[in-house]
Amino acid sequence: MIRFTKIHGLALVADQGVRTMRGVGVPLAGAMDKLTLRLLNYLLGNEAGAAGVEIMGSASFEARNTCQLIVGPAGGLVRVNGVTKRSGQLILLAKGDQIQVQPSDTGLWTLLAFAGGIEVKGMWGSKSTQLSLASCNPHYGPLKMGQTLHIKKPLSPRISRDTSAANSQINRFCLPGQRWLASHLPIVYFTQGPHWPANGDDGFLATMSPSSNRMGYRFELTKERMACSASDGRSYVTQPGLIQCPPDGKPIVLMADCQTTGGYPRLGVIPEAELWKITLLKPGQTVYFQAISIDQACELNNYMSLLERQYRELSKVS
Amino acid sequence: MPHHMRGQVHIVSDQMIEIDLRELTQSLCISVFQQLKQSMGNGVPNSPVKGEWLLADRQICYLLETGASNFADLQWLAQSIERELHGFTKAGQPEKTTTHILTVQWGGEFGPDLNPIAKQIGLSCAELVSQIESLKLTVAFNGFLPGFSYLLGLPSGMHIPRRDSPRTAVPAGSLAMAGAYMSVYPVKGPGGWHLLGRCDTSLFDVTRESPCLLQPGDSVRFIGVSQ
């Protein structure tokens, strides 16, 4: 069990989200960076869908019993009893340990995955906080100071209890993003949508705007406004990764808590394998959105599935 | 002589197959959606990837749980859907429907856009309210936010484009219009629609077996009450 003693920002329970209620408007929700949460879960010997905690800003909590923790994404940072621990490291917590979660060096969100996973009463097959329903019932709202969370007993801890041995194995892998953000101009791949300008380029340069949230990240264009093809005014099914073009011409990339339908023209879609990159951005950071074919998007997804398989294998041999 | 369906099936992304039914009425689209779910179930049989059927404005989507790793899987899905669609006829109406009467407090702090929208349409506020109250609207589909129903039936003279920039927070219960639609925000959320009033009926309740009150094909009328 853990108990939150401070929350400056937003703290949520997050897993892979609700996948069966979009037809009545319930957002997918869940972790902003679902890929990294799955990778952390594999490293801990959890099921891919185990729930963790996602924090924007900073927070402190106390371990009420022994548990194992890994922090993500690349750039995530915690202090355990004042000692700094980086992301991707297996951390063994003892009863009474005080943990401070610092704002991540990369992106706005820090993920905490625990061996066994967080146990809360879920809904529709997900344990994720549903912010879209928080105005109806505070039970669905974010975590609060003083709140305790139960951690399930790991069913078959496949990872070594010897943290240094486990970390030497984990260190052979790195969480996505460490190299990507260090590049001169980070690139995000997308596939063009029905309203991509007919004579447009095959990409655009854009800077993340501070008016971004869990529903959508907004971008300012470095050149002129986006002149997308006109929409016929219908509302379409949306999905995380969809790039919309509102009338002000500033693209919005829909994120985990996005609405399930929307009427703004559809510029394109970021493939699932690329979405983690967006979550690593902070306001003011510039990226180049590069168009690829849907065939190539599937290849990226396939590459990511292979990476996931490697992580799963790692936890089996530990 | 039955008219066979000729929807346009597109692969929109690594995760979505779309059936574009722009040439049909929404009422027929609801019927096609129900036929698809009946004949194919919640997913496409024998599909290598799982997904769910979703209905929007003259559009039906098959949204995969995860992005496809193989383009051939998406092509197989699109072809299977196209074959299934060809067997359908443009017959039938949506299944059993209900009429709902929702009370509204018009204008004031609840409907800050009532005045400017009435002006834009060329009516007084009272005339706009009276016109809306005389309409029998139809639930076209649900989406956007939990329990948010898109209602069709506004005359074309009352179709007003969405706001240029969406509000970051619209209060729960807000009655709003944009384009050809009207709706009530069941929960607080962002939105680019014009706010005309406030409605206090609970449209989404997680404790109900079917949490969403309004279903595609249902009818809705609005009646004003004083603030």
Side-chain angles (χ1 to χ4, degrees):
Chain A
M1 193 172 15
I2 57 170
R3 180 176 176 274
F4 282 89
T5 50
K6 265 186 206 164
I7 297 173
H8 292 299
L10 194 58
L12 314 165
V13 174
D15 61 9
Q16 299 297 308
V18 178
R19 292 185 184 269
T20 54
M21 298 294 283
R22 282 183 275 193
V24 292
V26 177
L28 177 64
M32 291 286 273
D33 181 357
K34 292 181 173 62
L35 171 72
T36 297
L37 178 58
R38 289 199 298 274
L39 298 182
L40 298 179
N41 277 330
Y42 297 140
L43 294 176
L44 288 161
N46 292 344
E47 294 296 327
V53 173
E54 197 167 45
I55 293 166
M56 186 185 72
S58 60
S60 301
F61 65 91
E62 179 187 287
R64 290 294 183 92
N65 45 9
T66 305
C67 56
Q68 286 177 313
L69 163 74
I70 300 188
V71 178
L77 188 67
V78 295
R79 287 175 195 276
V80 179
N81 302 325
V83 178
T84 300
K85 305 277 183 183
R86 301 293 308 187
S87 62
Q89 257 186 294
L90 182 71
I91 305 166
L92 187 60
L93 299 178
K95 185 178 178 183
D97 280 351
Q98 302 294 321
I99 298 93
Q100 289 174 290
V101 182
Q102 311 285 320
S104 175
D105 286 348
T106 51
L108 300 173
W109 295 91
T110 301
L111 270 171
L112 308 177
F114 297 87
I118 297 291
E119 177 63 351
V120 291
K121 190 182 166 196
M123 246 189 331
W124 307 310
S126 167
K127 297 185 190 310
S128 292
T129 303
Q130 266 292 349
L131 290 179
S132 67
L133 295 173
S135 65
C136 321
N137 185 336
H139 172 73
Y140 306 119
L143 299 172
K144 293 190 175 62
M145 204 171 81
Q147 191 165 346
T148 56
L149 287 177
H150 291 270
I151 297 164
K152 277 165 79 174
K153 192 179 170 194
L155 289 175
S156 55
R158 286 176 288 191
I159 205 154
S160 170
R161 287 206 170 271
D162 174 349
T163 51
S164 59
N167 278 324
S168 71
Q169 284 175 311
I170 289 170
N171 284 341
R172 289 193 285 120
F173 292 76
C174 63
L175 292 174
Q178 284 162 335
R179 285 185 214 134
W180 178 71
L181 274 174
S183 56
H184 173 61
L185 177 62
I187 293 174
V188 177
Y189 294 106
F190 75 100
T191 57
Q192 292 173 350
H195 304 113
W196 180 258
N199 298 316
D201 298 329
D202 60 355
F204 59 96
L205 194 62
T207 301
M208 184 179 161
S209 151
S211 56
S212 297
N213 58 31
R214 288 182 62 86
M215 294 186 75
Y217 277 15
R218 292 172 185 233
F219 287 84
E220 303 277 346
L221 295 177
T222 48
K223 282 185 179 174
E224 67 272 24
R225 69 197 292 276
M226 184 67 73
C228 55
S229 305
S231 149
D232 58 8
R234 286 188 288 165
S235 274
Y236 303 96
V237 172
T238 60
Q239 60 172 107
L242 178 69
I243 310 171
Q244 290 184 317
C245 184
D248 64 10
K250 296 174 181 175
I252 303 172
V253 176
L254 298 187
M255 301 299 285
D257 284 3
C258 72
Q259 63 273 26
T260 60
T261 56
Y264 290 138
R266 299 174 290 172
L267 279 179
V269 179
I270 297 172
E272 195 177 29
E274 286 285 288
L275 211 43
W276 60 270
K277 291 181 175 175
I278 300 290
T279 66
L280 292 186
L281 297 177
K282 285 191 178 204
Q285 278 183 313
T286 299
V287 285
Y288 187 74
F289 289 86
Q290 170 72 54
I292 56 170
S293 66
I294 298 178
D295 199 349
Q296 289 170 316
C298 292
E299 282 175 30
L300 288 174
N301 289 338
N302 188 43
Y303 171 78
M304 226 25 116
S305 320
L306 294 175
L307 178 78
E308 286 197 46
R309 199 174 302 162
Q310 285 181 326
Y311 271 72
R312 271 198 299 266
E313 293 304 315
L314 170 76
S315 65
K316 279 180 193 163
V317 298
S318 301
Chain B
M1 180 89 176
H3 297 273
H4 289 283
M5 286 294 314
R6 291 172 61 86
Q8 302 271 336
V9 180
H10 307 287
I11 299 171
V12 176
S13 71
D14 60 313
Q15 234 177 316
M16 190 188 286
I17 313 274
E18 168 189 80
I19 310 171
D20 189 339
L21 299 167
R22 73 179 75 188
E23 286 167 16
L24 296 191
T25 62
Q26 185 65 17
S27 170
L28 280 169
C29 292
I30 295 169
S31 166
V32 171
F33 181 68
Q34 288 166 347
Q35 287 182 68
L36 262 176
K37 287 182 79 168
Q38 209 167 32
S39 65
M40 299 190 97
N42 287 330
V44 174
N46 306 317
S47 165
V49 275
K50 281 188 190 170
E52 68 173 320
W53 294 105
L54 298 170
L55 172 70
D57 187 350
R58 287 163 290 150
Q59 181 212 32
I60 295 171
C61 280
Y62 189 66
L63 186 59
L64 305 187
E65 276 190 7
T66 56
S69 296
N70 188 347
F71 187 63
D73 291 344
L74 291 173
Q75 289 175 309
W76 182 89
L77 276 169
Q79 284 161 5
S80 302
I81 293 168
E82 204 154 26
R83 269 197 305 274
E84 192 70 20
L85 211 56
H86 191 70
F88 291 172
T89 57
K90 286 186 190 175
Q93 288 296 312
E95 293 161 357
K96 187 184 154 201
T97 60
T98 309
T99 298
H100 306 266
I101 295 172
L102 306 180
T103 54
V104 184
Q105 296 179 62
W106 295 103
E109 59 171 314
F110 295 150
D113 300 329
L114 183 67
N115 261 318
I117 290 299
K119 245 184 224 166
Q120 204 173 330
I121 295 172
L123 298 172
S124 69
C125 285
E127 286 168 334
L128 176 59
V129 165
S130 160
Q131 285 217 14
I132 295 173
E133 289 187 3
S134 70
L135 298 170
K136 187 176 179 183
L137 302 162
T138 307
V139 179
F141 59 98
N142 294 321
F144 182 50
L145 292 168
F148 188 100
S149 299
Y150 288 77
L151 309 176
L152 282 173
L154 280 175
S156 57
M158 288 167 68
H159 294 185
I160 303 290
R162 290 169 176 81
R163 290 164 57 86
D164 280 355
S165 191
R167 289 181 168 97
T168 51
V170 172
S174 295
L175 171 61
M177 68 190 284
Y181 309 114
M182 291 202 76
S183 191
V184 177
Y185 280 74
V187 294
K188 183 179 158 191
W193 293 32
H194 307 280
L195 310 184
L196 307 181
R198 191 76 59 85
C199 186
D200 62 2
T201 308
S202 168
L203 297 179
F204 193 82
D205 181 351
V206 294
T207 62
R208 281 199 292 252
E209 191 186 338
S210 175
C212 199
L213 180 70
L214 310 179
Q215 299 298 326
D218 283 358
S219 300
V220 175
R221 300 192 90 117
F222 292 108
I223 292 180
V225 291
S226 53
Q227 291 188 19

